[in-house]
Each structure stands twice: as C-alpha cells, then as structure tokens.
C-alpha cells in the first residue's frame, strides 16, 4: 500500500524473527526507531527528531554538516524528507520475503532516494539498499551513499550478527 502523506503512526516491517520500525519526525525526516527481535518491546524515540536519517548522500559541492571524514552527516541528509512508502511481499515458500520501501526527496537538488529493507522468512536478517534518481534541473555528482544508517536506542543485545 502506498502512502503519500506523512504517516501519523509508525511504519513497521516484521517477520517471525525481527521487527523494524520507522517513524517520521515533526520535520518530516524518517528514522529507524526500533530494530529488535520480534515480540520484544522496544524503547522507540517516538518521532522526537533524534537519531540518524534513513539515508545519507554526499554530493560534490554540498559538503558535510561538520568537518570530518565520515560518510554520514552530510549537508543534504537533513533535507531528505519523507515522500511516501510501500510494503511488498513475494517469493515462494521458504524463500518468501517482506519488503519496505521508504521514499525520500530533497526539494533543493531534486534528488529522490528510495531506501529498501527486506526480511526473509525464518531469518533474523535485514537486507538494505538505496536507489538514487536525479529529478532536478542540474547534474549531480554522488561521492558516497549509505546502504544502511541507524542510531538504535537502548540495548540491542538480543540481536546476533
């Protein structure tokens, strides 16, 4: 199901092993607020604006939000706003999967970012990847992009691997 407005409730992707929760803060920035074993209560951040955005992109000429060599905390990350999401499922039996795509948009450059999370049935694993598309008027030079970015609150000792 696609969503076009900022969701009022958390966006959840779960299987029998894991639960991943994304919340959109008041500024429209989605963040992972929980990644826990299925059924385990989490202490999510409840959209308070803390934690890392879902993706970060370093563009030539855009810089970082502070001077460092890290490949996160770019100048563009705080501009990537929630633009929708979609759940999908597929596969056959033991190879079945559930997937969440979260769409982000930067109004300044026209960059569109799709962040994907996929959970395989019976596996305590999350696969993630990011797809970029330039919908702006000028060419963009991508220097780096994160494939998974999260600041998980609390204790994640229950997660192996």
């Amino acid at each position: 199901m696609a969503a076009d407005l900022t969701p009022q409730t958390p966006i959840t992707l779960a299987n029998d092993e894991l639960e991943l929760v994304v919340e959109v803060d008041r500024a429209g920035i989605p963040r992972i607020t929980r990644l826990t074993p299925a059924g385990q209560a989490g202490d999510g951040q409840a959209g308070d604006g803390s934690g890392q955005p879902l993706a970060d992109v370093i563009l030539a000429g855009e810089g970082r939000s502070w001077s460092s060599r890290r490949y996160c905390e770019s100048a563009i990350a705080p501009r990537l706003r929630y633009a929708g999401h979609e759940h999908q499922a597929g596969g056959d039996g033991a190879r079945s999967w559930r997937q969440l795509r979260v769409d982000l948009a930067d109004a300044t450059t026209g960059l569109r970012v799709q962040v994907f999370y996929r959970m395989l049935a019976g596996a305590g694993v999350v696969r993630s990847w990011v797809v970029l598309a330039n919908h702006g008027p000028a060419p963009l030079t991508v220097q780096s992009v994160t494939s998974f970015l999260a600041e998980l609150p609390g204790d994640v000792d229950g997660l192996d691997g």
Side-chain angles (χ1 to χ4, degrees):
M1 171 188 299
D4 295 322
L5 302 173
T6 301
Q8 299 300 309
T9 59
I11 304 164
T12 301
L13 177 66
N15 64 13
D16 291 338
E17 303 291 326
L18 288 176
E19 181 180 40
L20 180 141
V21 177
V22 173
E23 294 185 51
V24 180
D25 70 16
R26 292 169 192 91
I29 301 172
R31 304 167 193 278
I32 293 175
T33 57
R34 187 169 58 227
L35 178 56
T36 60
Q40 178 177 318
D43 46 340
Q45 297 160 326
D48 67 359
S50 61
Q52 296 289 326
L54 294 186
D56 204 353
V57 181
I58 305 283
L59 297 177
E62 289 287 330
R64 294 173 174 86
S65 63
W66 62 286
S67 180
S68 79
R69 297 181 136 193
R70 292 177 58 176
Y71 287 102
C72 66
E73 299 181 10
S74 71
I76 194 173
R79 297 192 322 239
L80 291 174
R81 297 294 193 257
Y82 174 84
H85 71 276
E86 182 177 80
H87 284 93
Q88 292 180 325
D92 55 2
R95 294 177 179 241
S96 65
W97 48 265
R98 292 179 183 167
Q99 179 174 292
L100 170 63
R101 185 192 78 224
V102 181
D103 301 325
L104 309 172
D106 174 29
T108 302
T109 62
L111 182 68
R112 300 292 188 265
V113 179
Q114 292 180 319
V115 183
F116 291 85
Y117 302 101
R118 181 177 284 184
M119 292 182 178
L120 301 175
V125 176
V126 177
R127 293 180 180 171
S128 65
W129 66 96
V130 174
V131 175
L132 304 178
N134 183 2
H135 290 265
L140 299 173
T141 301
V142 177
Q143 294 182 320
S144 70
V145 60
T146 57
S147 57
F148 182 83
L149 188 60
E151 180 181 323
L152 300 174
D155 189 2
V156 292
D157 288 341
L159 296 177
D160 295 327

